[in-house]
Amino acid sequence: MSVVSPRASGSTAPPARRRSIAGVRPVHLLVAVATMVVLVVALVWDGEWRVLRVVLTVLAIIVAPAVWDPQRRVIRPATGVMVALILLALIGPLFTRDPLMLNVGESLATPGSDIWFGTDQHGRDIFARVIHGARLDLGVGFSAAALAVIVGMPLGALAVLRGGLFDSVLLRISESFQAFPTLLLALGIVAAVGPSIPILIFIIAIVNVPVYLRLTRSAVAPIVNADFVLAARCAGQRELTILLRHILPNVRQVVLAQFSVNVAWAIQILAALSFVGLGVPVPTPEWGAMVRGGYEQMVYGRWWVALFPGLAILFAVLTLNQLSDRVRHTT
């Protein structure tokens, strides 16, 4: 029995472009439009923190389609909460008070209907500072983790591909970094070079690079001599092409699971550095610095000054850990 193609029998198949447009779900179109609107807002807003807002917006665009589970037709809780936090960090400051505005007459006001989280000892609105702090903490956390992935993931794969002295040197360097506690190493570097947001991102990324290097190395080692890699070598493909096209895509799920954990680590490291006075400069709204400024007030019963920024750190870290577990269980 012969098979006749649709074109030979006179029927015309619909163009691929038309099929793809017709197959787009309304929820995906809504997510695309919403994220584009947020991106425009992030770009045209005032220049302060523009880079961090753009980073968060790009991450929201990438992560937003994963919120909806098409098989179960439900919203994935961890991903949904993470996207909500990113969007809150992006557009939330548009609807809050100035986080740096001093009002001595309203200092240490208790939470109420007008001031949801109360005020601190300088009369600043804690709710506004928590929302603005989300932009900084999430932006630094995602930026530092992304930089660590960009550096550590290719190095770990190259260590397996090349082997020999190159592999040994990278392992010894990574072991030297991991011999020190992460927080103590970050504290030492910040104390030596001084605190600033770009330096904090760079330092947090550097202390996390060995994690991705060793993780990628252990994930690539079993597949470096697989048939598809040997076939690519026989086809004459370059080592960089084999690395980017055939090897790294096969370990991305493991790296993504670790990525969420590292973002949580980065937020905790930034909060710890700010708590001891080596993080962002005062009075920049940052969760760790806010806890540092409010923990002394708890002795006098003013619990709200440190409670709400502390809950923000806890909520963000727990959400990221749940997101990592979901990615790990889908592998």
Side-chain angles (χ1 to χ4, degrees), residues 68-326:
W68 179 256
D69 190 346
Q71 296 179 350
R72 299 181 180 178
R73 296 184 178 275
V74 295
I75 295 176
R76 297 185 176 104
T79 310
V81 172
M82 194 70 255
V83 172
L85 285 175
I86 293 175
L87 293 178
L88 182 65
L90 286 169
I91 63 178
L94 290 173
F95 307 101
T96 60
R97 299 181 181 181
D98 184 0
L100 303 179
M101 183 178 64
L102 302 178
N103 189 350
V104 180
E106 293 185 356
S107 61
L108 298 174
T110 57
S113 57
D114 296 332
I115 307 175
W116 292 352
F117 291 176
T119 60
D120 60 8
Q121 57 269 33
H122 301 290
R124 295 174 297 202
D125 190 349
I126 296 177
F127 177 76
R129 291 179 63 80
V130 169
I131 297 299
H132 282 75
R135 179 177 59 190
L136 177 60
D137 282 76
L138 292 177
V140 171
F142 278 106
S143 300
L147 182 60
V149 170
I150 292 172
V151 176
M153 191 175 177
L155 284 178
L158 281 174
V160 179
L161 285 177
R162 298 206 173 168
L165 181 62
F166 184 77
D167 185 19
S168 300
V169 170
L170 283 182
L171 282 179
R172 298 295 84 78
I173 293 175
S174 65
E175 289 172 356
S176 300
F177 273 93
Q178 290 185 310
F180 299 93
T182 303
L183 182 57
L184 290 180
L185 182 61
L187 281 170
I189 299 176
V190 172
V193 301
S196 68
I197 292 177
I199 290 177
L200 288 172
I201 293 175
F202 179 76
I203 290 173
I204 296 173
I206 287 299
V207 298
N208 284 317
V209 164
V211 176
Y212 289 103
L213 191 152
R214 300 179 71 89
L215 178 67
T216 307
R217 183 181 180 277
S218 62
V220 169
I223 65 173
V224 69
N225 292 320
D227 293 339
F228 63 91
V229 177
L230 296 177
R233 288 174 177 168
C234 293
Q237 295 185 7
R238 294 182 300 175
E239 191 175 71
L240 182 61
T241 303
I242 296 174
L243 175 66
L244 297 178
R245 185 177 297 178
H246 302 288
I247 294 179
L248 292 184
N250 285 279
V251 300
R252 62 186 176 187
Q253 288 295 102
V254 180
V255 175
L256 282 176
Q258 184 65 35
F259 180 80
S260 296
V261 175
N262 273 97
V263 175
W265 289 354
I267 292 175
Q268 294 177 75
I269 292 173
L270 176 62
L273 291 174
S274 298
F275 186 85
V276 298
L278 292 176
V280 297
V282 178
T284 304
E286 195 278 325
W287 293 338
M290 293 172 65
V291 174
R292 172 68 176 85
Y295 85 98
E296 295 177 351
Q297 301 296 329
M298 298 186 71
V299 179
Y300 305 102
R302 297 152 186 165
W303 48 267
W304 60 89
V305 182
L307 176 65
F308 292 110
L311 288 177
I313 297 173
L314 177 64
F315 190 67
V317 170
L318 288 179
T319 301
L320 288 164
N321 287 333
Q322 289 294 322
L323 186 62
S324 175
D325 290 340
R326 192 190 68 81

